[in-house]
């Protein structure tokens, strides 16, 4: 029975995810590095902004930070409550999940689940996220009600690290699509084809994807590029996917090339931007604007 829940990392995802927890749990602690955000959350929702040491005494602790390195640095010095479960919603590194699982279990009798999410900030806002969870199956069952407060599909995908692996491959597939759509639509525009008309046809055909159905019309063609998921975070995810390929000693040229392209787009960006701004690299190469 979960009495208390905590959420650590109130960024673009975490702030919105944590907002659902008080609807299901009486005691909800929030903590953020820039603590003013935690105080703002507690003013807006029935959550309690508390010091980190207190937040981690909850029965279930969620974290959603940029990288696994950030999570490891945060967790390592902490004393947690024996019997609690740490649910990490960061899009992280499988090897790090295995390391933290072992460390927390042996030293603090705490279970660690890698539980990255997909669905973007709108999914966080509407509690319709997909959770892909790796780790101990019994801990998954115990933490399930807390994840259900923020998600729609909550899927146990295997042992520790499996959740992070699925998420990295998912985001890689999206990145492959983003690059392919940029190339395809640049080509169409060079041939004088209306991009809106082409998009309508493709979205009713076999070439459609989440990129053609939402990213391209809602972020690129309207030139809005709203910053909800940073390009630097996508470059981190494609890097994790590429490392997985390398560790498995496989050959995956499309993944390798896509990681290089996303990394290049991220390095070329003059300021932090949304993942959809990767398209701008193609625009600068071709001198064709996708609008
Ligand atoms: P943001 O950059 O918006 O938020 C990051 C959060 O982590 C902030 O609360 C920040 O605190 C905190 N933080 C950063 N570094 C540290 C640190 N070293 N120690 C403690 N806290 C830290 O990121 P998102 O919410 O967009 O993404 C979070 C994770 O979720 C990433 O792994 C991302 O890949 C993944 N994700 C993002 C999606 C999206 O659409 N945005 C969708 C699905 C997954 P502070 O306020 O103090 O800077």
């Amino acid at each position: 029975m979960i009495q208390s829940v905590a959420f650590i990392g109130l960024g673009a995802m975490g702030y919105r995810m944590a907002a659902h927890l008080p609807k299901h749990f009486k005691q909800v602690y929030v903590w953020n590095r820039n603590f003013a955000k935690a105080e703002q959350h507690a003013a807006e929702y029935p959550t309690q902004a508390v010091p980190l040491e207190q937040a981690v005494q909850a029965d279930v602790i969620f974290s959603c930070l940029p990288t696994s390195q950030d999570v490891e640095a945060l967790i390592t010095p902490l004393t947690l409550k024996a019997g609690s479960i740490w649910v990490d919603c960061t899009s992280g590194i499988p090897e790090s999940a295995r390391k933290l699982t072992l460390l927390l279990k042996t030293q603090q009798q705490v279970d660690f689940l890698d539980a990255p999410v997909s669905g973007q900030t709108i999914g966080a806002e509407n509690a319709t996220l997909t959770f892909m969870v790796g780790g101990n199956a019994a801990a998954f069952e115990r933490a399930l009600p807390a994840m259900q407060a923020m998600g729609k599909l909550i899927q146990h995908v295997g042992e520790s690290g499996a959740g992070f692996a699925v998420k990295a491959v998912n985001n890689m597939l999206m990145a492959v699509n983003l690059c392919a759509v940029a190339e395809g639509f640049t080509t169409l525009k060079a041939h004088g084809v209306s991009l809106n008309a082409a998009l309508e046809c493709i979205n009713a055909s076999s070439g459609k994807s989440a990129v053609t159905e939402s990213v391209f019309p809602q972020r690129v063609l309207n030139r809005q590029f709203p910053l909800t998921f940073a390009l630097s975070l996508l470059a981190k995810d494609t890097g994790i996917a590429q490392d997985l390929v390398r560790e498995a000693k496989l050959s995956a040229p499309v993944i390798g090339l896509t990681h290089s392209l996303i990394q290049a787009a991220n390095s070329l960006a003059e300021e932090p931007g949304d993942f959809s701004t990767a398209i701008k690299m193609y625009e600068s190469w071709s001198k064709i604007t996708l609008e």
Side-chain angles (χ1 to χ4, degrees):
M1 189 66 181
I2 301 169
Q3 304 289 349
S4 51
V5 184
F7 208 108
I8 291 166
L10 304 171
M13 293 299 284
Y15 197 92
R16 293 167 169 89
M17 291 167 75
H20 300 290
L21 294 171
K23 296 175 208 158
H24 306 268
F25 303 97
K26 263 204 187 119
Q27 192 138 47
V28 179
Y29 300 129
V30 289
W31 181 85
N32 194 65
R33 182 178 60 176
N34 166 6
F35 197 65
K37 257 195 222 170
E39 290 174 326
Q40 187 191 326
H41 199 275
E44 201 173 332
Y45 305 102
T47 55
Q48 256 179 285
V50 296
L52 182 58
E53 294 69 23
Q54 187 181 342
V56 300
Q57 299 314 307
D59 296 330
V60 176
I61 305 134
F62 287 96
S63 52
C64 192
L65 306 185
T67 67
S68 280
Q69 288 86 344
D70 296 322
V71 177
E72 285 187 24
L74 183 104
I75 289 186
T76 310
L78 290 172
T79 304
L80 310 177
K81 186 170 80 171
S84 63
I85 307 169
W86 192 293
V87 184
D88 184 23
C89 301
T90 304
S91 299
I93 301 170
E95 186 51 41
S96 174
R98 289 189 281 274
K99 192 167 120 188
L100 285 172
T101 298
L102 189 66
L103 186 85
L104 294 191
K105 196 68 187 171
T106 54
Q107 297 187 358
Q108 312 217 37
Q109 292 81 55
V110 167
D111 283 296
F112 180 92
L113 298 173
D114 47 304
V117 295
S118 73
Q120 304 198 350
T121 50
I122 185 73
E125 210 160 301
N126 296 333
T128 53
L129 293 172
T130 297
F131 281 71
M132 37 210 106
V133 190
N136 180 276
F140 169 80
E141 289 300 333
R142 281 193 292 137
L144 187 58
M147 293 185 274
Q148 279 168 334
M150 302 178 284
K152 196 167 160 199
L153 173 67
I154 324 285
Q155 181 77 43
H156 186 239
V157 292
E159 295 299 307
S160 179
F164 284 164
V166 174
K167 175 66 185 173
V169 170
N170 176 75
N171 279 21
M172 173 51 87
L173 295 176
M174 195 276 288
V176 167
N177 246 275
L178 191 61
C179 294
V181 169
E183 292 177 19
F185 276 75
T186 305
T187 307
L188 286 173
K189 190 152 181 192
H191 283 272
V193 177
S194 150
L195 297 189
N196 285 310
L199 194 65
E200 215 173 319
C201 293
I202 287 170
N203 280 336
S205 305
S206 54
K208 72 177 171 188
S209 67
V211 173
T212 60
E213 286 183 320
S214 66
V215 177
F216 210 60
Q218 292 165 18
R219 291 172 189 259
V220 179
L221 286 184
N222 62 8
R223 311 308 289 171
Q224 296 289 307
F225 302 104
L227 175 49
T228 64
F229 175 45
L231 178 57
S232 58
L233 291 176
L234 179 61
K236 174 253 314 179
D237 295 337
T238 56
I240 296 171
Q242 197 188 23
D243 286 345
L244 287 172
V245 171
R246 203 177 292 135
E247 284 160 26
K249 298 188 170 50
L250 295 172
S251 164
V254 174
I255 287 182
L257 181 58
T258 303
H259 174 54
S260 299
L261 289 165
I262 295 295
Q263 217 178 11
N266 185 41
S267 318
L268 289 170
E270 280 160 17
E271 53 191 35
D274 188 60
F275 71 102
S276 54
T277 61
I279 296 268
K280 291 185 181 177
M281 180 174 72
Y282 284 98
E283 292 182 335
S284 73
W285 287 344
S286 61
K287 310 271 181 289
I288 289 172
T289 305
L290 296 173
E291 58 186 340

